[in-house]
Amino acid sequence: MDKFVVNIIHRPEMVPEYAEKVTGHGKAEDIGRKALLTESLDIFKAQQRLAHENGLKTTIQMTYASLFNEEAVALAKADHEAYGDEIALSLLGLPCKEFREKYKTKDFCIWMFSMEDKKSIVDDIFAKFHETFGFYPESTGSYYLDADLTNYIKEKYPSVKCAVATCWEEGPKAYHTCNNSWYTLFDGGPWAPWIPSKQNTHAPAANKEEDSGIVAIPHLSRDLIACYDGNGSNFGTHPQNVLRGMIYDSKTWEYPYMYNLIDQYRSLEKYNNGYAYNMMFVGPAWMNKMGRWEAPYELLEKSYSDGCAYYGKLKKEGKLIDMTMAEFADYYREKKSYTEPECALWRDILYGSDKQLFWYCDPFMRACVNMDQGGAIVDLRPYAAKLEWPVGIGTKHVQDASYPFLIQEKYRAGYFTHYAGEGTVRSAKLSYNGEEVDLCLCRTKAHFSQEGNTRTLTLDPVDIEFYDLAVKLQTKIYFEEASSNIKIERTVLGMSNPEAKVELNEYMVACYGTTEYPEDMTGITLKCEGSEEKSIAYEYKCREEQLAGADAVSAVVPAIGTKVSLTASHKDAVGYVREGYAFSPMFTLGYTKTISDKEVFATWLNLEKAN
Amino acid sequence: MAQSGKGKLNYRCPSCFMRDLDIDMFYDKDKDEYYCIRCQYTGNEKDVLEKNEMVRFRYRAMSERITKFDFD
């Protein structure tokens, strides 16, 4: 049976993140202000009412501050009794007098504390929760939960089975949008629920040994095109985010986009064995009585009311199942195997472009295929490495929790560069009589199919026009479950001159990093593997090696514990590796092959953990 | 001249919004204008609201309710 599951989560945050700084402008900081506490609780009550009026159950994520508030506790208990809401525990909303007196800091993001403090805070909060309710929670979460903390929580509090564990593509883009003052840096994770590995939250577990013991859900369900390019906080199943993006009619206060977004998520069941998911989690500050951004309170309240009403309508029509987080964890464990991927063939529903992206996520990789660039891979995260990447004070990454990329078209140029150098992308070029065409310039559309454990993207054929030759080429991209590779197959469907010979260059330009800025490429080793081995130790010297009939061309990137390689279907292909230079800090792996009419040539992009 | 405040709503700078920056503006009551503390935009409420309509140019499908999601 097809299922569209929604988790609706509310938190009684007594000192909302924005309220004190933004709407409290002009007042000296006082996080114990009675007016602030009263208003926060009123918003929480309104959110709960709107969900219940629409027949929806919620997960109440108690904050530390709310555990000291008798009214908040009583409300949670009452709604649990009346509506079956789950009483859970959030690691957001730490700030309150009790917290600040004990920890002597204004830090409030659990993943940024030292490991010692993380453990101490978790123990404090879980103890307070237990003292208040008489049991330990089954669900928890934050904007991000690092693997070390998750492992600690699971070991110490085994009742926890579900957690909000990342915000999809909330990284440098969100940081910039907030005038470089909002330090939520966690790009590169899954957009839909997953089982995090013990090694890295963003990398799904491949088996029981890697299983962290929880089911993770993303904070919000986000637009898989708009959020990849723009500010994540404008394009998600968070009604006030849609207002923040100004994606509404300012005269009628209508926002069809919000419903389109929910409906596109519903449609993803086609690619995921009949299952689709949504999450709505709006903090109280977004329904502030003083308004937020340009929106008055009435519009903020209306948008949340409309959001609940739409989910409620879908439920009444039998098109949606509302679950608590703990219920969802049980459902997910039963429904999904470790290696079953999450797939999303996503279309632009906002900008009117018809652009299509395909997102793929499994325990070995996250990849994005861009049909507007001929099926090029424009984002690639090598989860196969299961990179151990501690975050927080006392580690190398105090704030940066992003899973590193090998390819990222927005941060490292992609196909188009200014004047010189190359950007990261996995594509192909065709050359004939001195002319060259990159498939990145051949816009197309894709069709999804599944046979056994292989998901296939079949792209509409594209026409490549040289001065005196036309080539019709089709691309198919295969994702075989648990293979840790992507197979790309090119078929020459026709040539205006059937005797012509064309050179096909299958290539991948890559680097590594988590931000826009280049990393040190020293230490990377490039190799042509086969009858002989040719290698280049990266020194920005613009060198190149090639080997006819290479078994593989590869790069080992020690900084992210990853080996990436290309392999080819034909022995008459020539493998090559290319070092970059200071103005183009990339490496290139590729195969060239002469192809003829009706010929089929395949290459594989393989990802491994580097030893 | 007294210090600036926030104005009746948290209007953001429309010019910065166009480059994906959310910057709350401040209100200068002597000049009856909002101004951006990061860039050079200034404008009264009417101008801000007009520019906010302009920034929506990129959302060409914003008003369209899509009922069919068979994109492949």
Side-chain angles (χ1 to χ4, degrees):
Chain A
M1 181 183 136
D2 294 348
K3 260 191 184 164
F4 175 54
V5 181
V6 70
N7 281 149
I8 294 175
I9 304 169
H10 295 145
R11 64 178 189 266
E13 192 168 86
M14 311 316 291
V15 187
E17 286 156 7
Y18 285 93
E20 183 56 29
K21 272 283 178 200
V22 179
T23 50
H25 178 77
K27 300 184 184 78
E29 185 178 84
D30 176 7
I31 62 172
R33 271 196 297 134
K34 181 138 194 338
L36 189 63
L37 299 181
T38 304
E39 178 176 338
S40 300
L41 213 49
D42 284 349
I43 295 167
F44 170 69
K45 286 186 217 170
Q47 288 183 311
Q48 285 287 94
R49 175 178 56 77
L50 290 168
H52 296 147
E53 281 175 359
N54 287 287
L56 301 164
K57 69 171 84 165
T58 74
T59 300
I60 301 167
Q61 289 222 339
M62 300 299 289
T63 58
Y64 187 49
S66 70
L67 295 173
F68 293 93
N69 185 294
E70 286 178 12
E71 189 181 357
V73 171
L75 282 168
K77 286 179 177 173
D79 284 353
H80 170 70
E81 285 299 316
Y83 303 101
D85 296 347
E86 177 186 350
I87 304 175
L89 179 57
S90 178
L91 299 172
L92 295 169
L94 297 175
C96 62
K97 282 191 167 179
E98 292 80 1
F99 183 82
R100 290 214 178 146
E101 278 167 15
K102 174 155 188 185
Y103 291 97
K104 316 267 187 243
T105 178
K106 292 183 179 177
D107 257 324
F108 60 98
C109 294
I110 189 68
W111 65 95
M112 292 185 195
F113 286 91
S114 68
M115 196 60 212
E116 186 187 353
D117 277 350
K118 285 176 192 174
K119 289 178 180 177
S120 174
I121 293 165
V122 162
D123 287 343
D124 271 352
I125 298 175
F126 275 66
K128 181 70 181 165
F129 184 95
H130 192 272
E131 176 192 316
T132 306
F133 294 105
F135 60 89
Y136 285 118
E138 291 184 300
S139 306
T140 187
S142 178
Y143 293 135
Y144 180 75
L145 277 190
D146 55 288
D148 291 337
L149 180 59
T150 301
N151 295 339
Y152 177 74
I153 291 173
K154 188 63 191 175
E155 187 186 348
K156 193 94 187 273
Y157 307 98
S159 61
V160 174
K161 56 169 112 170
C162 195
V164 183
T166 200
C167 302
W168 192 72
E169 294 308 281
E170 182 153 333
K173 295 181 291 285
Y175 179 68
H176 291 164
T177 295
C178 296
N179 205 26
N180 302 340
S181 65
W182 185 250
Y183 293 81
T184 52
L185 300 165
F186 21 81
D187 276 352
W191 63 92
W194 77 106
I195 295 171
S197 61
K198 286 176 182 165
Q199 300 96 320
N200 190 304
T201 294
H202 281 147
N207 50 48
K208 197 169 186 308
E209 289 65 42
E210 291 182 356
D211 190 336
S212 63
I214 65 160
V215 171
I217 61 175
H219 176 244
L220 309 174
S221 302
R222 290 184 150 159
D223 187 317
L224 300 184
I225 283 180
C227 276
Y228 187 61
D229 185 31
N231 175 21
S233 296
N234 291 352
F235 316 99
T237 51
H238 180 306
Q240 289 80 18
N241 273 190
V242 173
L243 303 185
R244 180 178 181 175
M246 296 199 205
I247 314 168
Y248 63 99
D249 187 312
S250 59
K251 293 184 180 62
T252 64
W253 285 5
E254 292 301 326
Y255 20 69
Y257 170 70
M258 183 169 79
Y259 309 118
N260 291 337
L261 183 58
I262 294 170
D263 284 350
Q264 179 149 219
Y265 262 98
R266 285 172 58 208
S267 77
L268 299 185
E269 57 86 13
K270 282 183 291 190
Y271 316 118
N272 297 290
N273 294 323
Y275 146 80
Y277 177 83
N278 249 198
M279 189 268 213
M280 183 163 75
F281 188 9
V282 173
W286 293 92
M287 289 171 70
N288 197 291
K289 290 277 168 51
M290 292 180 70
R292 189 85 186 99
W293 313 115
E294 299 74 22
Y297 173 74
E298 292 73 20
L299 178 53
L300 299 176
E301 199 269 349
K302 176 186 183 296
S303 67
Y304 199 71
S305 175
D306 288 345
C308 288
Y310 191 59
Y311 284 125
K313 174 177 172 285
L314 291 173
K315 183 180 178 183
K316 286 183 195 100
E317 292 171 353
K319 295 173 181 166
L320 172 148
I321 298 174
D322 54 329
M323 293 185 189
T324 64
M325 284 176 65
E327 288 170 347
F328 175 72
D330 293 339
Y331 164 77
Y332 189 85
R333 289 270 175 191
E334 200 170 310
K335 169 82 181 163
K336 283 264 194 179
S337 68
Y338 286 116
T339 55
E340 182 184 339
E342 188 77 27
C343 298
L345 185 53
W346 191 266
R347 198 195 77 167
D348 169 23
I349 52 171
L350 182 57
Y351 305 97
S353 71
D354 272 347
K355 178 175 170 176
Q356 256 187 346
L357 297 181
F358 178 71
W359 287 93
Y360 178 90
C361 178
D362 74 6
F364 309 95
M365 70 184 82
R366 193 193 78 175
C368 178
V369 179
N370 186 336
M371 263 47 76
D372 243 25
Q373 293 184 34
I377 295 170
V378 294
D379 190 287
L380 183 64
R381 314 279 165 160
Y383 291 159
K386 290 292 181 306
L387 188 60
E388 292 184 22
W389 184 278
V391 295
I393 295 168
T395 73
K396 287 181 186 169
H397 317 104
V398 176
Q399 300 92 2
D400 184 4
S402 296
Y403 198 99
F405 54 77
L406 285 168
I407 294 173
Q408 217 287 10
E409 66 162 344
K410 315 293 188 198
Y411 298 164
R412 302 299 168 88
Y415 170 73
F416 175 76
T417 60
H418 278 253
Y419 177 62
E422 292 179 293
T424 58
V425 68
R426 165 74 182 92
S427 180
K429 296 171 189 170
L430 280 87
S431 302
Y432 179 71
N433 279 352
E435 292 180 81
E436 185 179 83
V437 174
D438 196 305
L439 292 182
C440 281
L441 297 183
C442 298
R443 299 206 290 179
T444 185
K445 293 283 180 284
H447 309 274
F448 177 90
S449 60
Q450 182 180 345
E451 194 170 325
N453 281 338
T454 299
R455 278 85 176 163
T456 304
L457 272 190
T458 301
L459 276 57
D460 290 339
V462 297
D463 295 313
I464 294 121
E465 294 181 0
F466 297 106
Y467 175 71
D468 59 354
L469 179 71
V471 179
K472 188 177 278 297
L473 186 90
Q474 183 164 47
T475 298
K476 288 186 179 181
I477 306 174
Y478 300 88
F479 297 86
E480 186 188 349
E481 198 169 318
S483 67
S484 199
N485 69 41
I486 304 170
K487 176 185 175 185
I488 299 179
E489 184 182 87
R490 317 279 185 195
T491 302
V492 180
L493 297 177
M495 285 184 177
S496 57
N497 172 7
E499 305 305 317
K501 305 285 182 194
V502 173
E503 186 185 77
L504 175 63
N505 177 0
E506 292 282 354
Y507 73 93
M508 169 186 182
V509 178
C511 62
Y512 75 94
T514 54
T515 72
E516 299 98 322
Y517 298 105
E519 301 285 347
D520 185 1
M521 302 288 277
T522 311
I524 292 174
T525 304
L526 308 174
K527 272 185 190 167
C528 293
E529 303 171 17
S531 54
E532 57 180 310
E533 188 171 285
K534 297 182 173 180
S535 91
I536 297 172
Y538 205 103
E539 292 178 73
Y540 299 92
K541 288 184 174 172
C542 203
R543 292 168 291 176
E544 183 170 341
E545 291 286 359
Q546 64 175 43
L547 180 65
D551 293 337
V553 287
S554 66
V556 172
V557 187
I560 58 168
T562 298
K563 179 179 181 182
V564 54
S565 65
L566 295 186
T567 48
S569 59
H570 289 58
K571 271 291 176 191
D572 59 343
V574 178
Y576 71 90
V577 295
R578 192 179 293 153
E579 184 184 27
Y581 45 98
F583 202 88
S584 185
M586 307 287 162
F587 62 82
T588 306
L589 309 177
Y591 275 97
T592 58
K593 184 184 182 312
T594 302
I595 55 169
S596 312
D597 196 12
K598 310 302 179 197
E599 194 165 341
V600 180
F601 180 56
T603 50
W604 286 260
L605 190 168
N606 314 287
L607 295 167
E608 303 167 52
K609 184 174 182 63
N611 291 316
Chain B
M1 185 188 291
Q3 77 273 17
S4 302
K6 267 292 175 72
K8 68 178 182 185
L9 283 169
N10 285 306
Y11 287 123
R12 285 171 289 177
C13 170
S15 182
C16 285
F17 185 84
M18 296 273 274
R19 52 178 178 156
D20 275 347
L21 267 170
D22 283 353
I23 311 274
D24 284 14
M25 289 192 292
F26 292 90
Y27 179 66
D28 182 335
K29 65 183 174 189
D30 293 338
K31 290 186 173 178
D32 183 27
E33 71 177 16
Y34 290 86
Y35 67 97
C36 179
I37 207 160
R38 171 159 173 162
C39 80
Q40 291 60 255
Y41 173 81
T42 64
N44 61 20
E45 184 173 20
K46 180 170 174 289
D47 191 64
V48 173
L49 293 172
E50 281 171 7
K51 298 298 183 296
N52 283 349
E53 292 305 316
M54 228 172 82
V55 305
R56 292 173 163 95
F57 83 94
R58 55 186 168 188
Y59 302 144
R60 279 188 295 159
M62 186 183 83
S63 305
E64 186 187 339
R65 182 69 174 99
I66 301 166
T67 53
K68 195 164 172 288
F69 284 82
D70 289 331
F71 299 141
D72 60 338

